[in-house]
Amino acid sequence: MKNFKIAALAGDGIGPEVMREAIKILRATEKKFGFTLQITEAPVGWAGIDAAGKALPDTTLALCKQSDAILFGSVGLPDRDPTIPKEERPERAALLRIRKEFGLFANLRPVTLPKALAHACPLAKERQGDGIDILVVRELTGGMYFGQPKKTEDIGGGNQRAIDTMVYTTPEIERIAHVAFKSAQLRRKKLTSIDKANVLENGILWREVVTRVGKNYPDVTLEHMFVDNGAMQLVLRPTQFDVMLCENMFGDILSDEAAALGGSLGMLPSASLGLPRQSAATAGAGEENFFGFYEPAGGTAPDIAGKNLANPIAQILSSALMLRHSFGLNEAAAAIENAVTKAINAGNRTGDIFNPIETTAKRVGTTQMGDAIAAGI
Ligand code: IPM
Ligand code: MG
């Protein structure tokens, strides 16, 4: 029987409670589809600082290295201990560090608005067309997040200067462009590449390289769009988009915007992938598999943490992406996605997607939503 090793890092805020539901669902698929998952939990984020004095404890990092995939919750509590240096805070010392350490350059964020949640989308019904279905492909290890120099310095007179550097090389753009074109080939074959080529050197290079890579994918329609227009088009006519390719920072911003169109940030899963590798379980089978990092895009939501209010769907859908991209378990991944749709169609709503105008819907907590989804596997 196939066996896969998962490092489960729940982190802070709502992380632990949504992770618990995702593990519940994974256990249900394990039984049904005949594979085994060796799930090991470890602290990260403020939980790591509390347990071992570091946002990414050495033992947690070692566990990640021995695993086939990382299932991540979320980290960062803005109000905790402002005296800790920014380099040691969870966002940089755990999340960005893992992305860089494992070379996870490709971040996939699929946004879909289920028919039953049309009311949760902030756009008028006529703008939703036949449904919103967008894949944001975000470059994750370059650009302004990591470019050097990155610092704040004194410039005299009590003033400071803050510097972040946006930098991309041809190979960095090429590899993420290939991921985006391949993703588009499996979907509606349209790729919108986002840049700011009217102002930024980075934008000019981005556009050139993406255009060149596109010659290898004649079946995909490529268009370029400035990021400001892209932000506007998302709310004016979101149905024009299939795959949106973005550099790191633009992707961060536009994926949150797109998530709101999908009903709630609590519904947005993500997969962060490095270069393909053959996992032990599929070696020789000729299948491409990725060491991956899977996390909900929504954050720790400290205001609702520990209250059984959080929507676990983003975490659960992230675990489905893990089964698909890292383990090649397509059937089990689809079963999870279908079970989520079924639970929504049956009227289960956490607070973020609940609207009293839906008279047949019932407001449920994190655990009940997890139970409803597990029952549908
Ligand atoms: C995300 C988050 C992170 C990012 C933060 C928490 C560092 O917003 O994954 O989108 O900016 O990448
Ligand atoms: Mg973000």
Side-chain angles (χ1 to χ4, degrees), residues 285-350:
E287 292 168 27
E288 248 189 1
N289 277 292
F290 296 87
F291 176 82
F293 175 92
Y294 301 86
E295 64 167 332
T300 53
D303 51 325
I304 58 164
K307 298 184 181 155
N308 197 36
L309 291 174
N311 187 344
I313 290 180
Q315 186 79 55
I316 291 167
L317 291 176
S318 298
S319 69
L321 293 176
M322 174 180 74
L323 297 187
R324 178 174 298 122
H325 293 290
S326 284
F327 308 157
L329 300 170
N330 296 330
E331 231 188 309
I336 294 179
E337 288 158 353
N338 291 335
V340 167
T341 307
K342 262 192 273 175
I344 289 171
N345 288 345
N348 295 288
R349 304 280 185 269
T350 42

Side-chain angles (χ1 to χ4, degrees), residues 15-273:
E17 54 201 299
V18 294
M19 179 67 80
R20 199 177 52 229
E21 299 313 310
I23 292 177
K24 191 191 280 177
I25 312 303
L26 286 171
R27 292 293 179 212
T29 57
E30 197 180 25
K31 289 191 199 103
K32 171 133 191 213
F33 294 93
F35 51 80
T36 53
L37 302 174
Q38 192 181 320
I39 303 175
T40 311
E41 301 192 47
V44 74
W46 286 102
I49 294 175
D50 292 339
K54 269 164 108 172
L56 183 61
D58 299 345
T59 48
T60 300
L61 181 60
L63 171 74
C64 292
K65 288 185 173 159
Q66 291 152 15
S67 301
D68 298 310
I70 303 170
L71 186 60
F72 198 84
S74 41
V75 294
L77 298 171
D79 293 340
R80 267 204 60 177
D81 197 353
T83 63
I84 290 199
K86 53 192 184 248
E87 297 78 18
E88 291 170 29
R89 298 183 75 81
E91 289 85 343
R92 287 201 201 178
L95 189 55
L96 299 191
R97 164 119 193 263
I98 290 176
R99 286 175 182 172
K100 200 67 175 175
E101 177 100 23
F102 291 94
L104 305 170
F105 68 90
N107 183 223
L108 311 181
R109 297 188 165 183
V111 174
T112 47
L113 175 66
K115 277 259 172 311
L117 289 187
H119 69 276
C121 175
L123 300 184
K125 277 255 169 44
E126 56 272 20
R127 293 202 197 273
Q128 299 174 18
D130 292 331
I132 295 168
D133 182 2
I134 301 171
L135 176 68
V136 178
V137 175
R138 171 187 175 193
E139 201 291 327
L140 204 59
T141 52
M144 243 193 291
Y145 275 61
F146 295 97
Q148 293 296 333
K150 185 178 193 70
K151 61 179 172 186
T152 304
E153 58 196 16
D154 288 326
I155 53 167
N159 295 316
Q160 292 176 300
R161 171 167 55 203
I163 302 171
D164 294 281
T165 305
M166 186 170 187
V167 50
Y168 272 104
T169 62
T170 305
E172 284 177 305
I173 303 170
E174 278 170 355
R175 64 183 184 177
I176 192 68
H178 281 290
V179 171
F181 279 107
K182 285 183 184 155
S183 303
Q185 281 183 323
L186 299 174
R187 295 170 47 98
R188 301 191 306 278
K189 299 190 171 51
K190 182 174 175 197
L191 177 61
T192 306
S193 177
I194 300 292
D195 63 44
K196 189 72 185 168
N198 50 347
V199 177
L200 301 177
E201 292 294 319
N202 270 274
I204 297 169
L205 184 64
W206 186 273
R207 195 171 278 222
E208 274 171 22
V209 174
V210 173
T211 304
R212 200 162 63 231
V213 170
K215 304 270 186 274
N216 301 299
Y217 302 89
D219 53 329
V220 176
T221 305
L222 169 65
E223 69 176 17
H224 302 277
M225 195 178 275
F226 295 140
V227 60
D228 48 352
N229 186 27
M232 180 174 73
Q233 291 300 327
L234 265 177
V235 294
L236 288 181
R237 209 164 56 82
T239 52
Q240 71 186 281
F241 295 112
D242 177 11
V243 177
M244 297 180 90
L245 168 62
C246 309
E247 65 85 41
N248 202 347
M249 176 89 159
F250 297 162
D252 178 45
I253 298 168
L254 293 189
S255 64
D256 269 26
E257 186 185 355
L261 305 182
S264 163
L265 197 49
M267 306 275 295
L268 182 64
S270 87
S272 304
L273 309 175

